[in-house]
Amino acid sequence: MAKHIRLRCSDVEKLSALGKALSSPVRIQMLQILETEKLSIAELARRMQIPASSAALDIRTLQKANLVKIEEKPGSRGSAKFCVRDADMISIRMVGMAADVNNTVSVEMPIGAYTSCEVSSVCGIADENGILGMDDMELAFYMPERLSAQILWSTKGYVEYTFPNRLKAMPYPCVPRSLIVSAELCSETSGYREDWKSDITLWINGVECGTWTSPGDFGQRRGKLTPVTWSSGRTQYGLLTSWEIRRDGCYINKEWASSVNLDDLRLMEASTVFVRIGNKEDAVYAGGFNIFGKKFGDYEQDIIMSITYDEVVQGK
């Protein structure tokens, strides 16, 4: 894996050491040689036709800038020391971060882009043109056409999405401050029923975060975005629901829901985040779920995962 040195203008000592190390054509030539080879100081001096004492001083300067390191390898007459390149890239951030600014990365996931599911009749998926596959058949959830889905429903089970963890791709070390998942949701029963409750749970990386009780499966009026191809007498819209996991617990629609916190989610251990939405097997109200896409229901969005984060200032 490439080693990336990341610095800010506030890293005065490190920048000064880096500037000194790169100010000499001789030291730059050393880095070019060490790009593909591991050499002792004596070998490096011979290659460059300079005194070994001068090479040693230059290597020490490169070490202080974390551009070169010394490795020891066992040999027939004891261990031998070799100069090894210790950096692949250097980034210098010329502007600082305001302390009162929230840094956020977001991903909007199409509702049909789930990577795992477990559903049960009554179930199905549809896009703005109509039902995909056949209504009330689990196999429809495995059709490639599902990626265009704008509504999906099931009377029990779950759907799970694999989100990219964009914090792992940030150019500077950072730590999460909060994670928010929002989606338009409601209960599911045959047709619709305004008072049909359902306990809908969110899991992140396999950790149960909190349960929101949907008050009904809504169909008395048309959804603001629901296409004309969708018949009356079926679910029309949901409620925009958000789970926010902070350091002090999980909040659903800004109300405290559980003690699950960011540390429990182990976000920085992987490049993906698994987001599961569904019903627990022992739910009090096992009333299924509908998930709406941006062309269905009342809200022009799919499933959004947002992570607010703080940058880590190295050396502090």
Side-chain angles (χ1 to χ4, degrees), residues 131-152:
I131 291 174
L132 299 172
M134 297 185 67
D135 207 353
D136 294 339
M137 293 193 69
E138 181 182 349
L139 65 85
F141 279 77
Y142 299 96
M143 297 171 54
E145 292 87 344
R146 65 186 172 85
L147 293 173
S148 67
Q150 296 298 320
I151 183 173
L152 62 82

Side-chain angles (χ1 to χ4, degrees), residues 104-108 166 304-307:
T104 303
V105 289
S106 297
V107 178
E108 186 168 12
R166 289 190 169 167
I304 299 176
M305 183 187 77
S306 300
I307 303 177

Side-chain angles (χ1 to χ4, degrees), residues 74 173 249 309:
Y309 64 93

Side-chain angles (χ1 to χ4, degrees), residues 6-10 91-97 171-172 311:
R6 300 178 175 93
L7 299 172
R8 298 177 176 84
C9 281
S10 58
S91 296
I92 302 174
R93 184 164 188 162
M94 303 303 293
V95 295
M97 293 300 300
Y172 295 93
E311 289 190 15

